[in-house]
Amino acid sequence: SQWKAISGFTNYFGGFTPRITPGGVLQPFPWKDSGRRRVIGANTPLMELRWREKRYGVYSEVLVVDKVRRTAERVKNSRMDRCGGSCRKVVYTPGRSTATAMRYTGTYQIAESEKGARLLTAVLPGRFLTLPGGVVRMERGDIGISGDVEETTLEADDQGRKTTLTMRRLEE
């Protein structure tokens, strides 16, 4: 889709996700906080906190091979090695790649395989509303979690209202 192409481009080259304003205007540049940031801190009540770390599909090693020069660079994912994971990928370069470029390719492949592998879901009581374009940030130093919330879901059932917040890119 067009959104996936633009989002992929800005994430790869700029390290940010584009935004769409409440009026429907695409903003393909880094987000500038205009005071509409909501912070979930240690005083915010939590009903539930779920942590998931997916290991399936995360590369523990990438072997980058240059067929023209007959060389190879091996890039290891030390975090997956410590966990005992084993998933190897072999990437062939078009030829005449430098060792630095080959290592970068391997590092990039590992980083891409880790996207979405860590998922934190927090459930808050009641409604936690924010306007379109607003930023929700979780700053919970008491449990060692910080990062921007990517998805918010409001639910209501016979037990009342609750808000589910999802984070994938956590800061360490």
Side-chain angles (χ1 to χ4, degrees):
S1 71
Q2 293 173 351
W3 172 256
K4 189 172 183 180
I6 290 172
S7 178
F9 179 80
T10 57
N11 274 309
Y12 182 75
F13 288 104
F16 66 92
T17 302
R19 303 223 182 226
I20 297 176
T21 66
V25 177
L26 175 67
Q27 296 181 333
F29 47 81
W31 180 256
K32 295 194 180 12
D33 186 12
S34 59
R36 292 186 289 180
R37 180 175 294 256
R38 306 259 330 252
V39 177
I40 299 168
N43 297 335
T44 307
L46 287 175
M47 292 174 59
E48 186 178 338
L49 194 62
R50 291 183 300 246
W51 174 261
R52 185 194 79 189
E53 189 159 0
K54 177 185 84 167
R55 292 190 181 113
Y56 177 78
V58 177
Y59 302 137
S60 58
E61 177 183 35
V62 175
L63 182 67
V64 183
V65 178
D66 184 340
K67 286 182 165 182
V68 175
R69 292 185 326 150
R70 296 185 182 176
T71 60
E73 286 288 329
R74 184 178 314 256
V75 181
K76 290 194 170 255
N77 184 347
S78 58
R79 194 171 66 79
M80 278 302 288
D81 275 348
R82 286 192 305 269
C83 295
S86 178
C87 181
R88 182 178 182 199
K89 181 174 185 173
V90 178
V91 177
Y92 293 96
T93 62
R96 295 190 176 32
S97 296
T98 64
T100 305
M102 292 170 71
R103 280 192 299 276
Y104 173 79
T105 300
T107 304
Y108 175 78
Q109 290 294 322
I110 288 172
E112 285 295 304
S113 75
E114 288 180 329
K115 280 188 176 177
R118 299 170 67 200
L119 180 72
L120 178 75
T121 306
V123 180
L124 308 175
R127 296 185 317 180
F128 188 84
L129 295 176
T130 184
L131 296 173
V135 177
V136 179
R137 177 143 182 95
M138 183 174 282
E139 290 287 345
R140 294 292 304 252
D142 56 331
I143 54 178
I145 296 171
S146 63
D148 289 336
V149 173
E150 294 180 33
E151 184 179 316
T152 305
T153 307
L154 300 173
E155 300 175 39
D157 57 16
D158 57 346
Q159 297 175 355
R161 295 178 180 158
K162 62 183 176 181
T163 304
T164 304
L165 308 172
T166 305
M167 298 169 52
R168 287 182 187 82
R169 289 187 291 264
L170 303 172
E171 299 165 7
E172 298 183 30

